[in-house]
Amino acid sequence: GGVLALAQRARKPMQKSDTPNLAPSRRSAIRSFKVMDVVAKADRLARAGREIYHLEVGQPQSSAPQPAIRVAQEQLAADRCGYTSARGEPPLRQAIADMYLREYGVTVSTDRIHLTPGSSGAFTIAFMAAFDVGDAVAVPAVCYPCYRNLLQCYGVEVISLPVDAKYNVTAAVLAAGQHDRAAAGLPAIKGLILSSPANPTGAILTPEELKALCEHCDRTGVQFISDELYHKIVFEGAPRAACALEYSSSPIIINGFSKACSYGRT
């Protein structure tokens, strides 16, 4: 039907008068994710016979945990290839809720847990649920580049906050940014997203700093999105990687398995 019609139409050269006047959306004018540009070039070189040592992506040398691989193989062999619950399999969501209680001492309803294939899908859901076109959302001046790319794609005004001497955005830094926008007559900051431990700096907020930031966001009506993907990758002697839900029920947490369950874990 549709595929055949397209194939038949493709045999006929498109006339100039048939060319539609299509223009890209303003939201498409975002910078490319430079890491993926490097990956693409490295792939071209590898296919041309060059030996490539990949240091461009935050990908662990180890594979997925062997128990996870075995279960995936078993499920595929049993033809578990159909649709699942839109928010993720209930047993896995319950296991995640149990993990938050065990590791952080917080009770999280499974209704608040949504599973996505990769954290980028989680950012998409969180940003679209929390922000509207034209909202001002703050990010650290040094942060994961895709925060800006995704927010700009959704028509959000991205506000860059300076980082302190430890490369962190604290409650004081956010407050200063809010003060400056108010003094300039600009709309208030609606949201804040940051990671701790941070990508790419490795900076980490102390539990006290995270508590103060959560309290300030609640007090000033800022939706805090806490990217906690790197919680299991912390050097000895570093501050404890606290969860924002320890200090407030308002934050949206982004977390995942790709980093925590791969680095040195089998």
Side-chain angles (χ1 to χ4, degrees):
V3 175
L4 177 61
L6 287 173
Q8 290 174 337
R9 185 174 182 179
R11 296 194 190 104
K12 177 185 176 182
M14 181 176 283
Q15 304 299 316
K16 186 174 182 180
S17 59
D18 296 331
T19 304
N21 184 21
L22 300 177
S25 67
R26 290 190 299 274
R27 70 184 57 177
S28 69
I30 60 175
R31 298 177 62 185
S32 63
F33 186 18
K34 299 306 179 185
V35 169
M36 291 297 106
D37 292 345
V38 175
V39 169
K41 184 173 182 179
D43 182 65
R44 289 195 298 271
L45 292 172
R47 291 177 185 277
R50 298 282 294 276
E51 185 176 8
I52 304 297
Y53 294 92
H54 292 278
L55 303 176
E56 71 274 34
V57 290
Q59 180 170 298
Q61 290 182 322
S62 58
S63 179
Q66 289 302 312
I69 292 176
R70 286 195 297 271
V71 171
Q73 292 171 334
E74 292 168 0
Q75 295 299 306
L76 288 171
D79 199 24
R80 284 292 306 278
C81 298
Y83 287 104
T84 62
S85 170
R87 289 187 294 170
E89 294 281 79
L92 179 52
R93 287 162 49 213
Q94 182 60 57
I96 292 171
D98 294 341
M99 182 273 290
Y100 271 85
L101 180 60
R102 182 175 64 253
E103 298 201 7
Y104 302 109
V106 296
T107 300
V108 181
S109 168
T110 55
D111 289 340
R112 287 195 61 172
I113 298 174
H114 297 255
L115 302 179
T116 59
S119 61
S120 293
F123 289 131
T124 296
I125 293 174
F127 292 165
M128 295 188 74
F131 310 126
D132 290 314
V133 172
D135 283 346
V137 178
V139 300
V142 182
C143 69
Y144 178 50
C146 283
Y147 294 161
R148 292 187 177 89
N149 288 3
L150 287 170
L151 289 168
Q152 289 172 352
C153 187
Y154 303 140
V156 170
E157 179 188 2
V158 181
I159 309 301
S160 184
L161 294 178
V163 294
D164 65 12
K166 297 188 296 180
Y167 295 97
N168 281 320
V169 166
T170 61
V173 172
L174 176 58
Q178 292 170 308
H179 176 271
D180 290 345
R181 287 185 66 82
L186 297 172
I189 292 174
K190 174 93 179 276
L192 167 70
I193 176 170
L194 57 79
S195 57
S196 176
N199 176 3
T201 64
I204 184 170
L205 292 167
T206 66
E208 294 76 20
E209 289 172 330
L210 182 60
K211 181 175 185 291
L213 185 61
C214 289
E215 292 175 346
H216 182 78
C217 286
D218 285 348
R219 188 164 54 250
T220 58
V222 173
Q223 176 60 67
F224 180 28
I225 299 180
S226 181
D227 180 356
E228 301 179 358
L229 197 65
Y230 297 92
H231 263 210
K232 297 297 183 183
I233 311 172
V234 179
F235 287 109
E236 292 184 5
R240 179 178 70 86
C243 176
L245 292 178
E246 295 177 43
Y247 310 113
S248 171
S249 61
S250 300
I252 296 173
I253 309 299
I254 307 294
N255 209 330
F257 302 110
S258 63
K259 306 298 188 293
C261 294
S262 294
Y263 280 93
R265 292 191 169 204
T266 56

